[in-house]
Amino acid sequence: MPHFLDLVSASQTHEVTIYGVDMNGEAAGKFQCREFRRMPRGDDPDYVTRMLEFARDVGADLVWPTSDEEALALSEVRDQFLKVGCEIAAADYETLSILVDKGGCYDALREYGVSVPDYAVAENREDMLVVLDRILAQDGQAVIKPNTGRGGRGVFVVDNRLSTAVIEDDRREIHANRDDFVANYLEEAISHAPVMVMQRLQEPVFDLDMLTWKGEAVCIAPRRRVNSAVPNDGHMLVDGDDLIELGHTIATCFKTSWLLDCDLMFDVSGVARVLEINPRPSGSVVAPMTAGVPLFDDAISLFAGEKPPKREVPIGTVIRPYTSMRALP
């Protein structure tokens, strides 16, 4: 986040003043903001009221949500912010409601001809096990995850090749064979119901940073994760006409505006399948920005009624994190 804020503040196109909020009162980026306030979660009953008050106090032009909960809460009351001269940098509430519901999003994508994993939504233990056994019989592996949620939380990989459960330090996932999963993790998994039970695809994970405007894709920046389970370990910007075309299709189908993030993987036959579409910028959107693709600059240009130039994504560029220090004012 600090590096992201540096890039946004250093815009050569727009005069940008950043006002920040976070649940953590000691968030690392707070010192790069003109003013900072601690806020509750995006789904807290007080969140919208306090955000509206902050936007009015500082005379904000844009509020940019960076979590699903924030995007949903703010887009639902967009009119209240417009009355104080502030826009919400997110798609409309109806579209967001589809995108954050993984089962509903998959249903919509299939209607548009976009490939998604084999999946089903389960509401109870019995349904979950029926679908799990079907996919295991077909592929030998399956993934169970909450139908809504983000950041890899509550994810289980069922793999019959495993003899014991595996919990890796850098993953939020739990890997286990079917018997181990049923004996030790079934109750935890179903506590997140409804859950998605789905085909497991092939690593690595790819991300599409998608700048869209009124249903058109303005810039699509595909990248491959260095470590599929840990996005912040680094990325490589990659080529791929099929990935770029997929981004254009998503923008057209959902008529989106602003920045979105699409996660995808390939199946064993080499078909790209969408894992999820996040209705806000990726937490790793700083990767293409660091490589010279000014996605936030261009989004602000679109908001201002200006057409940004066509951007070339520097294919093959690898972006890796490092720890730095600075003296605070």
Side-chain angles (χ1 to χ4, degrees):
M1 181 57 73
H3 184 52
F4 165 78
L5 295 176
D6 282 343
L7 293 175
V8 174
S9 299
S11 171
Q12 299 297 305
T13 308
H14 304 284
E15 184 178 346
V16 178
T17 302
I18 298 174
Y19 299 89
V21 303
D22 200 279
M23 290 171 54
N24 176 9
E26 297 304 318
K30 67 180 288 186
F31 302 105
Q32 292 152 277
C33 301
R34 173 73 62 83
E35 184 176 337
F36 174 87
R37 290 187 191 177
R38 188 174 182 179
M39 288 285 167
R41 282 175 55 95
D43 54 6
D44 186 282
D46 293 332
Y47 174 76
V48 167
T49 300
R50 291 176 59 182
M51 282 296 296
L52 183 61
E53 180 183 68
F54 191 24
R56 184 175 56 244
D57 289 350
V58 302
D61 300 297
L62 279 173
V63 173
W64 217 303
T66 56
S67 75
D68 296 357
E69 296 87 353
E70 292 171 325
L72 281 167
L74 294 171
S75 65
E76 189 173 21
V77 295
R78 186 188 305 271
D79 289 348
Q80 294 183 37
F81 283 82
L82 291 175
K83 288 177 181 177
V84 299
C86 183
E87 176 62 280
I88 305 301
D92 64 84
Y93 181 77
E94 291 72 20
T95 299
L96 296 184
S97 297
I98 296 172
L99 297 181
V100 300
D101 179 323
K102 292 183 176 64
C105 183
Y106 278 21
D107 291 344
L109 287 168
R110 286 202 304 189
E111 289 183 11
Y112 297 133
V114 176
S115 296
V116 297
D118 183 10
Y119 73 97
V121 178
E123 299 279 353
N124 54 56
R125 297 172 186 78
E126 292 74 19
D127 289 346
M128 182 172 68
L129 290 175
V130 167
V131 181
L132 175 62
D133 287 339
R134 175 178 66 78
I135 294 179
L136 286 176
Q138 173 181 296
D139 297 331
Q141 302 176 77
V143 176
I144 299 170
K145 63 173 63 176
N147 190 51
T148 58
R150 55 190 171 88
R153 298 169 179 85
V155 176
F156 298 87
V157 176
V158 183
D159 185 344
N160 280 337
R161 297 172 301 177
L162 297 174
S163 57
T164 59
V166 177
I167 305 174
E168 299 180 17
D169 290 341
D170 60 353
R171 292 175 182 255
R172 290 168 173 163
E173 306 169 350
I174 295 175
H175 295 230
N177 62 42
R178 184 192 184 281
D179 291 343
D180 200 1
F181 169 75
V182 171
N184 298 304
Y185 303 107
L186 176 62
E187 294 305 316
E188 182 182 348
I190 203 61
S191 70
H192 298 286
V195 296
M196 292 276 288
V197 186
M198 54 190 284
Q199 171 188 15
R200 190 182 186 198
L201 301 174
Q202 305 296 304
E203 292 187 351
V205 177
F206 292 79
D207 291 75
L208 300 181
D209 292 299
M210 305 187 298
L211 175 58
T212 67
W213 197 253
K214 298 180 180 178
E216 293 187 9
V218 178
C219 182
I220 306 294
R223 51 188 165 89
R224 174 176 58 80
R225 299 182 189 178
V226 172
N227 181 343
S228 291
V230 187
N232 290 334
D233 273 3
H235 305 263
M236 173 185 283
L237 298 181
V238 298
D239 198 359
D241 292 341
D242 54 339
L243 299 181
I244 293 172
E245 182 59 33
L246 176 59
H248 282 269
T249 299
I250 291 170
T252 301
C253 293
F254 292 106
K255 298 180 174 57
T256 58
S257 291
W258 303 103
L259 272 165
L260 297 92
D261 167 53
C262 174
D263 298 346
L264 59 94
M265 297 173 73
F266 288 83
D267 64 19
V268 292
S269 62
V271 175
R273 298 184 183 270
V274 172
L275 289 177
E276 61 186 32
I277 302 172
N278 299 305
R280 34 79 187 172
S282 166
S284 307
V285 70
V286 70
M289 292 172 62
T290 300
V293 186
L295 293 171
F296 269 71
D297 262 8
D298 289 352
I300 294 171
S301 293
L302 291 164
F303 170 63
E306 305 165 5
K307 184 177 180 180
K310 182 176 176 60
R311 303 294 183 184
E312 295 296 329
V313 176
I315 305 304
T317 300
V318 178
I319 303 93
R320 296 298 296 258
Y322 70 96
T323 300
S324 182
M325 302 182 74
R326 67 179 66 200
L328 299 177

